[in-house]
Amino acid sequence: MQIVSTVKEVRTQVKEWRKQGLSIGFVPTMGYLHEGHASLMKRAKEECDKVVASIFVNPMQFGVNEDLDSYPRDLDADAKLCDSIGVDLIFHPEVEEMYAEGFCSFVDMNGLTKELCGKSRPIHFRGVCTVVNKLFNIVTPDKAFFGQKDAQQLAVIKRMVKDLNMDIEVIGCPIIREEDGLAKSSRNTYLNEEERKAALILSQTIRLGEQLVKDGVTNVAELVAAMKENISKEPLAKIDYVEAVSMDTIEKIEKMQGTVLVAMAVYIGKTRLIDNFIVEV
Ligand code: PAF
């Protein structure tokens, strides 16, 4: 497995693989990899001849008061995990390699980013779209793999690829959870023991929401109110949002109909965690 830090090195290797007629799968990450990332890499390995993973904590997608500086990093552990899965190349650029002096071009989106995380993190998706666009241009993958835990991000990337005619298949992969239900996330590492227990309120509330929909609740206000009430039982939890939106447009809906994304962001202490379920009604 190679670890490279320049765009030129990635391009040289990708050109070589292309000459040999090999397909390329791509898993973009911000590192501090866990089993969620591993599942994306394994899927890429199954579906493509060569697998590239990027590890880059992208400053452009963090707001001023967010956790850019404290975001966990561990390149050695990440490299070991990638190697054990059979990743062929890690692209680990410095910020200057991605954003040279004078950088002033962005990819932005008018739709899909007004609700959910887009509402509480206003510049986030501009940063995500810009960096993913750049990474796609550098790696030129056939397929790119993203987790459903960031369901809005997945919808945004799919839309960007469609709108900008990128010749890349975007594949969404299921949420991977700890045994007790907590969705795997690099940010789980911020939680102390008490907060780790409290964080279970997210997955418990997801299960409650799923059950209510199964039981026939179709009124979104009723569903959201029940989920919020459940979260409010946990003293360490502070709700950022609980919403149900159409999966395609990420716009609010009043009735559970079609493919619906029910998503939440909840602070446990200072740590903002997200979780969701997607349901066909
Ligand atoms: O999901 C992430 O880790 C990031 O948002 C991504 C897609 C790697 C872009 O920085």
Side-chain angles (χ1 to χ4, degrees):
M1 185 184 70
Q2 299 177 63
I3 305 180
V4 303
S5 60
T6 65
V7 173
K8 198 168 168 219
E9 286 166 299
V10 179
R11 290 214 162 118
T12 306
Q13 181 57 81
V14 166
K15 254 187 210 152
E16 190 51 45
W17 288 335
R18 290 284 178 218
K19 258 196 234 153
Q20 296 167 28
L22 301 172
S23 64
I24 297 168
F26 178 44
V27 182
T29 81
M30 298 208 300
Y32 214 73
L33 304 177
H34 50 70
E35 283 163 48
H37 299 109
S39 73
L40 306 180
M41 292 168 186
K42 284 177 192 158
R43 178 88 184 267
K45 194 79 198 150
E46 276 163 28
E47 296 200 16
C48 304
D49 299 318
K50 295 289 174 186
V51 177
V52 177
S54 62
I55 297 178
F56 178 61
V57 182
N58 174 35
M60 200 188 280
Q61 68 190 70
F62 287 80
V64 274
N65 294 321
E66 293 183 356
D67 56 343
L68 173 63
D69 293 337
S70 54
Y71 198 85
R73 293 159 167 90
D74 188 345
L75 183 61
D76 288 346
D78 289 349
K80 271 192 198 120
L81 181 77
C82 289
D83 201 24
S84 73
I85 295 168
V87 168
D88 298 279
L89 183 141
I90 293 178
F91 177 43
H92 178 56
E94 294 294 334
V95 173
E96 297 71 34
E97 179 71 6
M98 292 299 279
Y99 301 117
E101 216 191 309
F103 185 92
C104 58
S105 307
F106 302 89
V107 180
D108 210 348
M109 200 172 274
N110 258 340
L112 281 83
T113 57
K114 304 273 182 264
E115 303 295 336
L116 312 181
C117 291
K119 202 186 257 175
S120 30
R121 305 183 71 192
I123 56 111
H124 176 68
F125 286 111
R126 182 169 102 138
V128 170
C129 286
T130 302
V131 81
V132 171
N133 201 306
K134 282 170 68 65
L135 290 166
F136 281 178
N137 285 336
I138 295 163
V139 178
T140 64
D142 298 281
K143 297 184 183 187
F145 300 81
F146 292 83
Q148 190 208 294
K149 185 167 85 63
D150 294 292
Q152 185 175 20
Q153 169 171 280
L154 177 60
V156 162
I157 302 291
K158 280 190 171 162
R159 187 75 228 183
M160 176 184 80
V161 162
K162 187 174 178 202
D163 286 353
L164 303 183
N165 303 98
M166 297 171 159
D167 193 11
I168 297 169
E169 189 183 342
V170 175
I171 297 173
C173 303
I175 298 178
I176 304 294
R177 296 182 179 279
E178 303 284 354
E179 259 175 39
D180 60 9
L182 180 67
K184 299 247 182 195
S185 164
S186 307
R187 289 189 167 98
N188 291 349
T189 179
Y190 297 148
L191 302 169
N192 65 29
E193 209 176 311
E194 197 191 355
E195 290 168 342
R196 174 64 184 76
K197 279 187 202 140
L200 288 179
I201 196 68
L202 279 94
S203 51
Q204 279 166 11
T205 306
I206 288 296
R207 286 199 295 272
L208 169 72
E210 283 174 325
Q211 191 56 50
L212 288 171
V213 177
K214 257 190 211 149
D215 293 345
V217 173
T218 55
N219 182 308
V220 166
E222 191 186 326
L223 175 72
V224 167
M227 292 174 71
K228 282 185 171 173
E229 197 199 321
N230 194 58
I231 297 169
S232 67
K233 287 182 199 150
E234 171 49 63
L236 291 184
K238 197 173 128 258
I239 297 172
D240 179 1
Y241 66 77
V242 179
E243 277 181 33
V245 296
S246 145
M247 186 65 234
D248 293 335
T249 60
I250 314 287
E251 277 171 5
K252 273 190 184 169
I253 50 169
E254 286 176 5
K255 208 165 176 261
M256 298 293 286
Q257 213 164 38
T259 311
V260 179
L261 165 65
V262 182
M264 62 170 74
V266 177
Y267 285 94
I268 302 292
K270 286 195 176 128
T271 306
R272 185 176 175 279
L273 300 175
I274 56 174
D275 205 342
N276 68 71
F277 68 97
I278 296 171
V279 63
E280 220 36 82
V281 189

